[in-house]
Amino acid sequence: MTVTIVGSQLGDEGKGGVVDLYGDAADVVARYQGGDNAGHTVVHDGTKYKLSLVPSGAVRGKIGILGNGCVVNPETLFDEIDTLRERGLEPDVRVAERAHVILPYHRALDGIEEAEKEDLAAGTTKRGIGPTYEDKAGRRGVRVGDLLDPDVLRERLEYVVPQKKALAEEVFDKETGEEFDIDHLYETYREYGERLADENMTVDCGTFLQERIDAGENVMLEGAQGTSLDIDHGVYPYVTSSNPTAGGATVGTGLGPTVIGDGEVIGIVKAYLSRVGTGPLPTELGGVEDQTPDYEGDVGTTADEEELATYIRDEGGEYGTVTGRPRRVGWLDMPMLRHAARANGFTGLAVNHIDVLAGLETVEVGHSYEFDGEEIFTMPPTTEQWGRCEATFKSFDGWPEVDWAAVADDGYEAIPENARTYLEYIADELDTPVYAVGVGPGRGETVIVENPYE
Ligand code: IMP
C-alpha cells in the first residue's frame, strides 16, 4: 500500500519527522515533486544530516526514489550521496528517467528573474526550480534519461541554450559565463549521465513502484513544500512551480490515482504557521524584512506580538534549512487548513510542534476570515482576495511545559489537557483524525495514535 505525506500549509511543517517515523515500515520512499529547494534534517545514530534532495529514508537503508515529477540537480544529488558515503552510509537512491534536470542556466535565471520581479518575486530558494519546470512545460527541458544518451543530450542543449543565453543577455542585460556554454554543459552533464548509468541509478518510476506494491511492499510518497505553495492550489504567484498536493503524487510517480487513493493521505500540520518568502499572511504575528509585504519593522502589529513571534521563531528553530533565512511566523490558519483538507482528501493528520507553544498563556487560532464584510471559512481563490482577508481569532487556554519525552512514551492521554482540546478542535474542524502529535524535535518525540501501515 501507499502512504502519502503532504504539507498542509506553507512548507516546513515537519514532514521529515513523520516520514522518518512512519517510513520505518516502508520499503521504498519516493519524492514526487520539487528539487533541492526542500531542506530536511535527518538525525541518524547521533549524526545530523542536512539534505535537500536525497529522500531522508535513504539514510535509513530504504530505497529512496526521485520521481518523474521532481527536478533534479545532479551536482546536489552526487554531493549529498558522496557526503553520506564519506560518513559510512550506502544510500540506495534511484532517479526517474522522466524527471527533469536542473541545469546551471536555470539557477542563473532564477536569480535574475527574482531580482527583476520586485513585488511579484516569490522569494525563491534560487535553486532553479521555476525555470526548470517552465522548460518542462515548454517542451524544451532535458530529462534524466537524456543524460544517458549523449546524442540526445547534445541535440537538446543545442536547441535550448542559445535561447536561454539570449534571454539572459538581451532581455535581462546580464553577462553570461560557462553556465550558458553548450560544450561545457554537454561535457559536464554527459559525465553525470555516465555516473548515473555506472551506478545503475535510473528507473522507470511508475513501473518500479507498481512492481513493489504488487509484491506486497509498503511505499511512502513524500511531498515537499506544502499545499499553499502548490502552483494550482497555493497563493499564486508566491508559490513553488510544482504540485505538492496529493494529486501530484500520482502524476509525479506514475502510480494511478486509485492506487494512491486506496492508501492513506496524511496531512502534516504545524501547530502554528511559518512562511519562507513573500505574499500575504492573514494570521502573521511578526514580520521579516524583505519577506513581509510593506514591512517597516512592525507590520502594524504590536511590540508584544513581535516579541511573541520572535519567541516562537527561536523556540521552533524557524530558520530555513537550505537558506538559513528567518521564517515569518503566525497563528494557525484554519481556512488554509480546510482548503488543504479538501484539496488533498486527508485520511489522517500529524500535528507537529505543540511543544513550541507550551508555556504561552493563550494560543490563538485564525478560525475564519472576514472578507469584504462576510465571514468565510476557506481560502478565496486569488491571492489579492486572500490579502484582503482579516483573520477572526479564537482563543485557547495555553498548556504548560512538560517532560515531552515522557509524554511521547506515555501516549495521547499524557498530552496536557488544553493541548488535547486544541488538537481535537483541529480534528473536528477538518473532519479528519489525528494520527500523530509531534512533541519535540527528536526522533522519539512523537505521540503515535495510529500507524497507517498497520
Ligand atoms: P522555489 O521553490 O525555490 O521556486 O521557491 C518558491 C516559493 O516556495 C518561495 O516562497 C520559497 O520560499 C518557497 N519554498 C520552496 N521550498 C520551500 C520549502 O522547502 N519550505 C518552505 N518554503 C519553500
Side-chain angles (χ1 to χ4, degrees), residues 12-257:
D12 309 313
E13 299 93 348
K15 293 179 291 292
V18 180
V19 169
D20 220 12
L21 183 78
Y22 289 145
D24 253 355
D27 303 284
V28 183
V29 180
R31 283 189 53 185
Y32 55 85
Q33 44 72 235
D36 54 349
N37 50 349
H40 41 280
T41 308
V42 194
V43 182
H44 183 58
D45 287 345
T47 310
K48 228 181 197 183
Y49 301 94
K50 283 198 170 190
L51 302 171
S52 58
L53 189 58
V54 166
S56 43
V59 172
R60 308 211 184 278
K62 315 286 173 191
I63 299 177
I65 301 201
L66 296 170
N68 56 275
C70 293
V71 287
V72 180
N73 183 331
E75 194 182 334
T76 311
L77 176 67
F78 289 129
D79 272 358
E80 291 187 358
I81 291 176
D82 290 345
T83 304
L84 294 174
R85 283 187 183 156
E86 276 159 26
R87 300 212 194 161
L89 299 178
E90 227 3 276
D92 185 349
V93 182
R94 318 286 177 96
V95 190
E97 287 199 33
R98 290 182 171 92
H100 278 249
V101 179
I102 301 180
L103 285 130
Y105 52 80
H106 291 125
R107 274 201 179 209
L109 285 166
D110 197 353
I112 293 171
E113 290 185 36
E114 275 284 288
E116 202 71 22
K117 278 182 168 169
E118 298 183 346
D119 282 357
L120 288 178
T124 74
T125 58
K126 302 207 174 71
R127 298 297 196 272
I129 307 297
T132 308
Y133 280 115
E134 270 178 53
D135 281 353
K136 170 179 176 175
R139 293 160 294 168
R140 63 181 99 81
V142 174
R143 304 210 290 184
V144 168
D146 303 336
L147 302 183
L148 309 181
D149 187 332
D151 291 339
V152 173
L153 174 62
R154 180 104 214 167
E155 189 185 25
R156 297 273 195 272
L157 291 173
E158 280 180 357
Y159 173 72
V160 72
V161 175
Q163 292 182 15
K164 299 289 149 184
K165 196 171 158 76
L167 183 62
E169 291 178 352
E170 287 160 37
V171 177
F172 294 116
D173 204 20
K174 300 286 183 236
E175 280 182 25
T176 57
E178 64 182 15
E179 64 270 47
F180 291 84
D181 180 272
I182 295 177
D183 290 335
H184 170 74
L185 294 171
Y186 173 71
E187 284 310 325
T188 315
Y189 282 75
R190 194 176 53 83
E191 274 176 33
Y192 286 138
E194 278 170 13
R195 180 162 173 190
L196 287 168
D198 285 350
E199 299 191 17
N200 207 14
M201 285 174 66
T202 60
V203 286
D204 180 349
C205 183
T207 305
F208 182 90
L209 290 177
Q210 189 64 56
E211 281 173 5
R212 297 286 168 153
I213 292 168
D214 291 344
E217 292 190 8
N218 287 332
V219 170
M220 174 161 278
L221 304 169
E222 178 183 357
Q225 291 89 43
T227 301
S228 282
L229 290 174
D230 185 285
I231 186 127
D232 286 282
H233 305 290
V235 291
Y236 192 91
Y238 309 109
V239 291
T240 193
S241 299
S242 63
N243 290 114
T245 41
T250 171
V251 180
T253 58
L255 290 172

